[in-house]
Structures are given as structure tokens and as C-alpha cells.
Amino acid sequence: MEGSSKPMIATREVMVEAKVPLAYRDQCAHLLIPLNKCRQSEFYLPWKCENERHSYEKCEYELVMERMLQMQKLKQSAKQDQGNTIPLIPKTANA
């Protein structure tokens, strides 16, 4: 199973310089950096930086949906593989 279809745009050096926490260093980090700068400059007012926040949250949502689809495909392939194996305890004819 390959990784995400989204490329990693922000480099490690850029994320370190922007002080992005390790948990947020994913394929959407390039959107989080300007969002955090906007939040700091606007004193974290909730009605400011709406466009930046929306684009970041949309990116995160798409990553989650992609991971869910990959997990669903893995479960389906495991289920199909399970049906093709020989059981350890054979079923008897009358049981």
C-alpha cells in the first residue's frame, strides 16, 4: 500500500523554522504555517484567517478520508484472503 497521494510541500527546515509541532508535520503543514502566522498577527480572533483555516481543514479532511479508504481496501483484501485459506479445524458434515 503506497502512501498519500498528496506531495509533501513544506520541507523539514521550513517546518522547524516555523516551529510546527511534530504531530502537525504532515502533507498539510504548508497550509498550517501561514495559518499560524495569520493567527498570531490577528491575536487569534476567530473571525480572522477564515480562508487559511478553511483550506487547512479541507486538506486535513481529505487526508483522513484517504486513510479511511485505504483501511477499507485493506480490510476487504484481508477478508477475501481469509476466505481462500484452509481452516485449521475442518467442519464436519453433520455439525
Side-chain angles (χ1 to χ4, degrees), residues 40 44 51 63 95:
Q40 289 174 355
Y44 289 86
N51 291 333
L63 281 178

Side-chain angles (χ1 to χ4, degrees), residues 36-88:
N36 284 341
K37 286 180 183 177
C38 180
R39 285 175 171 168
Q40 289 174 355
S41 67
E42 299 292 338
F43 303 106
Y44 289 86
L45 293 172
W47 58 87
K48 301 286 185 170
C49 311
E50 288 180 345
N51 291 333
E52 292 89 348
R53 190 182 75 229
H54 176 72
S55 61
Y56 173 71
E57 289 177 352
K58 182 180 180 201
C59 180
E60 287 291 335
Y61 174 77
E62 289 170 352
L63 281 178
V64 168
M65 295 306 289
E66 189 175 330
R67 285 194 299 263
M68 287 175 57
L69 184 63
Q70 287 178 352
M71 191 63 190
Q72 187 178 20
K73 288 179 182 178
L74 281 174
K75 285 181 180 180
Q76 287 177 352
S77 66
K79 192 180 235 184
Q80 289 174 352
D81 292 343
Q82 186 180 21
N84 296 337
T85 61
I86 299 173
L88 295 176

Side-chain angles (χ1 to χ4, degrees), residues 5-36:
S5 64
K6 290 182 179 274
M8 191 71 178
I9 297 173
T11 63
R12 181 175 294 147
E13 292 80 21
V14 172
M15 290 186 279
V16 168
E17 183 181 320
K19 298 179 182 175
V20 176
L22 289 175
Y24 295 96
R25 294 184 186 184
D26 57 5
Q27 285 84 359
C28 299
H30 67 283
L31 298 170
L32 181 62
I33 294 168
L35 173 60
N36 284 341

